[in-house]
Amino acid sequence: MEKGGGKGGPSSSSPVVVVVGGGIAGLGAAQRLCRQSGFRNLRLLEATDRCGGRIRSQSAFGGVIEIGAHWIHGPSKNNPVFQLALEYGLLGEKEKSEENQLIEIGGHPGLPSLSLSSSGKNVNLKLVEDVSNLFYTLLDQTREFLHMAETPVPSVGEYLKKEIARHMVDWTEDEATKNLKLAIMNTFFNLECCVSGSHSMDLVALGSFGEYCTLPGQDCTFSEGYEGLTNCIMTSLPKDVILFNKPVKTIHWNGSYRQENFPGETFPVLVECEGGEKFPAHHVIVTIPLGVLKEQMNTLFSPPLPRRKIEVIRRMGFGTNNKIFLEFEEPFWEPDCQQIQVVWEDTSPLVDVRAELQDIWFKKLIGFLVLPPLESTYVLCGFIAGLESEFMETLSDEEVLSSLTQVLRRITGNPQLSRPRSVVRSRWHSAPYTRGSYSYVAVGSSGEDIDVLAQPLPADFLIPQLQILFAGEATHRTYYSTTHGALLSGWREADRLISHWDSEAQQPKPKP
């Protein structure tokens, strides 16, 4: 195919832009472009029947639960998700307070209100606090390896285990207490797997762990659901911009395509959907999750992506973190309990377990958040990451309910504990348009890889420029894995197009 001419510009003053994906990155990019008078020809193609992507709120148990993103991490003045939520009036007084915005938690979850062991005993919370302090002290040390030429070991997990073994030499407790401390430590490892979205901390690169930045503020939630935010962005767009149920099959680029709506115009990109519809464009902003890029990168782009981009997509980490909501008629926990930790006494981060997933998957469950009580019902939200989480997705609701009933009876020491009334869970790995939860910097990859993923195509100022742009949480070097990272990446690519067309407009035209 012949190459398109010029700088990628149409003869009219308004370029045709297609945004692929209706998560917060795609919605943010579309909203930013629509607020500019020069971007009147915009389409957002969403593969499913709803916008929001990995922000997904659902009505359940007489209230709203978050199947996807749960918190605004670091709700303070430099967090664009927090600022938008304020603008749309979606936060309560406590969440909006100056006091809440100034709290520094360093990205670490709080301590549990209750810690239950697999032998049915309450674990001493002072012991949990001591183990937590050691774990997070060591975890903070891992960030110091950023920009160092070499690291002592490749992964965060290996570093932590080496340091824990070193500290154990000074432990003076009896053998049973030492083993219990290691079991508690194992729960913190599993918790960090949920935070990082990885199966094991052995997969998370030590040298790049410090790339991720935290913002001040006590993490907060949306009382009416996180999806209220993406719904507000969606309703701010002109009504014909979003097209639902339009999964993209192939993005053809570096070509010369025509469309009858634009006579005499040629377009360097053509977006072809599974249903056969074709959308020519001057620019396409791709916001699909890294999990889908990993699965489809060999067929999604024609011609194929440059080798360097393909290698980066392969190297980068993308894992699964799921939630399991359990509904109870009566709580077995105290009214002031906010978080329940589960400790498996036969586990240790220093010992690798070899067993079938079906026999041990539930041991990866880190515990439960106690959700605010709803009318005549009580709900716990469990978190589970990694391959065990992906295995959980293959089970039926009945199998999950049965397994977790046994776990709860065991940790409470009450074999007669009432079975939960119902279960609702996320299945992010099975979801065809996400294929997991969020990204991390894997062993063998780096912060530079995130920047390479974010680079537009074609590279090296080939003409036409900015045919394919990339956004989404996995393209933000310091806020990857977050909703604010996703939103900022969408704004970044919108701004890239805006400045491109501003500079185009300012170029002197040849005299006739």
Side-chain angles (χ1 to χ4, degrees):
M1 277 177 191
E2 61 173 324
K3 300 282 186 283
K7 203 182 172 189
S11 54
S12 67
S13 61
S14 187
V16 177
V17 180
V18 172
V19 177
V20 178
I24 196 167
L27 290 170
Q31 185 184 54
R32 203 139 170 125
L33 289 171
C34 283
R35 286 176 172 173
Q36 299 283 321
S37 59
F39 290 87
R40 294 186 303 277
N41 299 312
L42 179 71
R43 283 281 178 279
L44 187 154
L45 306 180
E46 166 53 42
T48 69
D49 59 2
R50 56 170 286 278
C51 274
R54 286 165 275 175
I55 292 174
R56 186 175 149 214
S57 309
Q58 182 176 313
S59 295
F61 317 124
V64 175
I65 58 171
E66 303 293 6
I67 298 296
H70 203 100
W71 293 276
I72 302 178
H73 292 296
S76 48
K77 67 177 189 301
N78 291 325
N79 187 323
V81 168
F82 177 67
Q83 292 302 332
L84 262 189
L86 282 181
E87 194 180 307
Y88 288 126
L90 300 174
L91 298 176
E93 289 308 312
K94 184 183 173 218
E95 290 78 16
K96 291 192 288 193
S97 73
E98 192 71 31
E99 183 188 355
N100 206 70
Q101 295 178 52
L102 296 173
I103 296 171
E104 290 276 3
I105 59 166
H108 303 323
L111 287 166
S113 324
L114 176 65
S115 181
L116 300 174
S117 75
S118 49
S119 62
K121 299 190 182 99
N122 281 25
V123 181
N124 182 306
L125 290 179
K126 177 69 174 73
L127 197 63
V128 173
E129 187 177 358
D130 289 347
V131 173
S132 170
N133 288 340
L134 174 58
F135 179 80
Y136 288 116
T137 298
L138 296 177
L139 193 69
D140 287 341
Q141 284 174 17
T142 64
R143 300 183 182 280
E144 293 165 17
F145 292 100
L146 186 65
H147 307 311
M148 282 192 184
E150 277 184 40
T151 58
V153 288
S155 72
V156 171
E158 289 164 283
Y159 176 80
L160 292 173
K161 287 184 275 192
K162 201 171 154 192
E163 289 298 304
I164 288 161
R166 200 168 59 76
H167 278 265
M168 278 179 66
V169 176
D170 300 323
W171 288 2
T172 55
E173 301 93 345
D174 59 69
E175 210 57 32
T177 306
K178 287 178 183 177
N179 289 336
L180 181 56
K181 284 172 76 170
L182 285 172
I184 297 166
M185 189 68 80
N186 200 65
T187 300
F188 281 108
F189 268 75
N190 290 341
L191 170 56
E192 196 55 35
C193 286
C194 290
V195 173
S196 290
S198 63
H199 169 63
S200 163
M201 295 311 291
D202 290 357
L203 301 175
V204 181
L206 177 59
S208 301
F209 197 57
E211 294 279 7
Y212 181 83
C213 295
T214 58
L215 292 166
Q218 179 75 53
D219 292 358
C220 68
T221 57
F222 292 81
S223 58
E224 303 295 315
Y226 220 129
E227 209 172 311
L229 179 66
T230 45
N231 286 343
C232 283
I233 301 174
M234 189 170 69
T235 54
S236 77
L237 300 174
K239 67 179 187 305
D240 58 346
V241 164
I242 300 175
L243 299 176
F244 292 103
N245 301 305
K246 293 282 183 284
V248 169
K249 180 183 175 188
T250 313
I251 298 169
H252 305 270
W253 59 291
N254 244 11
S256 183
Y257 303 98
R258 297 182 182 277
Q259 191 192 37
E260 54 198 36
N261 295 2
F262 298 88
E265 195 79 73
T266 60
F267 300 87
V269 196
L270 182 74
V271 180
E272 181 185 354
C273 291
E274 296 281 358
E277 306 97 322
K278 293 177 179 175
F279 299 87
H282 297 104
H283 311 286
V284 175
I285 303 178
V286 175
T287 73
I288 59 179
L290 179 59
V292 179
L293 280 179
K294 282 177 175 287
E295 184 179 69
Q296 297 184 10
M297 64 181 166
N298 293 326
T299 56
L300 190 60
F301 299 92
S302 178
L305 293 173
R307 181 182 296 174
R308 192 175 178 211
K309 184 94 75 174
I310 286 173
E311 285 170 355
V312 158
I313 291 169
R314 284 198 182 122
R315 280 199 300 261
M316 285 176 67
F318 193 79
T320 304
N321 179 25
N322 275 313
K323 297 178 187 175
I324 306 172
F325 297 87
L326 298 174
E327 180 193 20
F328 298 82
E329 283 184 43
E330 293 295 332
F332 62 81
W333 56 92
E334 295 299 321
D336 60 348
C337 182
Q338 295 183 318
Q339 196 177 323
I340 302 169
Q341 181 184 62
V342 178
V343 176
W344 291 90
E345 286 169 286
D346 57 347
T347 60
S348 162
L350 307 182
V351 179
D352 286 331
V353 178
R354 300 255 179 263
E356 295 296 318
L357 282 174
Q358 65 197 44
D359 300 325
I360 58 154
W361 70 267
F362 45 83
K363 289 190 176 182
K364 196 70 169 281
L365 188 82
I366 58 164
F368 302 91
L369 277 183
V370 179
L371 298 191
L374 298 158
E375 208 175 306
S376 74
T377 193
Y378 302 87
V379 181
L380 294 181
C381 171
F383 291 81
I384 182 169
L387 297 177
E388 295 86 351
S389 185
E390 292 168 13
F391 177 78
M392 179 277 297
E393 295 186 27
T394 68
L395 301 174
S396 67
D397 280 357
E398 176 53 39
E399 288 169 313
V400 171
L401 205 50
S402 178
S403 288
L404 293 188
T405 299
Q406 295 307 315
V407 168
L408 290 169
R409 286 174 178 170
R410 187 169 168 180
I411 64 175
T412 57
N414 178 5
Q416 264 67 56
L417 186 76
S418 295
R419 173 186 165 97
R421 198 151 62 176
S422 66
V423 62
V424 174
R425 61 203 158 117
S426 60
R427 295 182 180 89
W428 289 110
H429 181 69
S430 317
Y433 304 114
T434 49
R435 290 291 183 221
S437 300
Y438 35 81
S439 64
Y440 60 94
V441 184
V443 171
S445 68
S446 66
E448 285 80 19
D449 285 352
I450 298 173
D451 288 342
V452 170
L453 180 60
Q455 283 169 7
L457 295 175
D460 307 324
F461 296 100
L462 294 176
I463 304 258
Q465 286 177 31
L466 306 184
Q467 294 176 36
I468 305 178
L469 304 94
F470 294 85
E473 54 84 13
T475 71
H476 198 288
R477 185 157 175 170
T478 54
Y479 299 139
Y480 55 87
S481 80
T482 66
T483 54
H484 53 276
L487 179 59
L488 284 168
S489 74
W491 287 356
R492 178 192 69 215
E493 297 312 311
D495 289 345
R496 199 190 299 269
L497 286 182
I498 291 163
S499 66
H500 172 79
W501 284 95
D502 279 352
S503 65
E504 179 84 340
Q506 285 162 19
Q507 282 195 358
K509 300 286 184 283
K511 288 180 181 171

